[in-house]
């Protein structure tokens, strides 16, 4: 409730599900990785250049934690309070483990992968729900019920218009193109 009243829940939801946020998380992670590789593999560079690369990697990694870690921390808090242990909790514990082990970039990778897959899941779910709504909107309210002749052909003289709720198993329904 506190998260909803303060607006933090809305911010967390946007950070977790928005495309802009997903692009930012991925971009910061890629930049952090590039700077980290540059810092660890560069030879013959000045101490200042190496320190700048390390600082840039740390800042980009911190930004991943801002964009992906905040909603993950909110999710962890809500799940723990509700006593729900699921993949979100386990992923968050894995991220905490990487931080304790001194591997923040690996934790950032976990956050980016999990948050991005979560955003894609929400996008696909929303699209599927829209398709289902369209399908349900196309369901007719009425049906034309007919009887069959002895030879199995439709007897059009017996056609009656009925509510769909009055159609029963075994009724023969005339389907029009």
């Amino acid at each position: 409730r506190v998260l909803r009243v303060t607006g933090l829940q809305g911010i967390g939801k946007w950070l977790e599900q928005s495309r802009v946020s997903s692009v930012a998380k991925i971009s910061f992670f890629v930049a952090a990785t590039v700077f980290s590789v540059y810092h660890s593999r560069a030879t013959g560079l000045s101490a200042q250049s190496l320190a700048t690369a390390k600082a840039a990697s740390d800042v980009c990694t911190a930004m991943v934690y801002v964009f992906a870690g905040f909603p993950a921390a909110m999710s962890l808090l809500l799940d723990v309070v509700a006593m729900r242990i699921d993949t979100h909790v386990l992923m968050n514990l894995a991220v905490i483990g990487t931080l304790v082990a001194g591997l923040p970039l690996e934790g950032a990778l976990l956050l980016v992968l999990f948050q991005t897959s979560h955003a894609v899941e929400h996008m696909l779910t929303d699209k599927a729900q829209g398709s289902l709504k369209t399908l349900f909107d196309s369901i007719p309210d009425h049906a034309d019920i007919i009887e069959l002749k002895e030879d199995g052909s439709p007897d059009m003289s017996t056609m009656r218009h009925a509510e769909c709720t009055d159609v029963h198993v075994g009724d023969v329904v005339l389907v029009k193109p």
Side-chain angles (χ1 to χ4, degrees), residues 47-58:
Q48 184 177 6
S49 294
L50 292 174
T52 301
K54 172 77 169 109
S57 176
D58 292 346

Side-chain angles (χ1 to χ4, degrees), residues 11-19 21-23 25-26 64-76 87-88 91-92 95 107-123:
I11 293 169
K13 188 173 183 176
W14 181 84
L15 286 171
E16 184 177 46
Q17 296 177 4
S18 106
R19 289 180 186 172
S21 177
S22 293
V23 169
K25 292 172 215 173
I26 293 167
V64 171
Y65 280 91
V66 168
F67 277 86
F70 176 72
M74 278 186 15
S75 174
L76 177 63
T87 57
H88 296 268
M91 186 279 309
N92 286 319
V95 170
L109 174 61
L110 286 174
L111 285 171
V112 166
L113 290 175
F114 201 76
Q115 291 286 315
T116 303
S117 69
H118 204 47
V120 169
E121 176 188 349
H122 280 286
M123 250 181 356

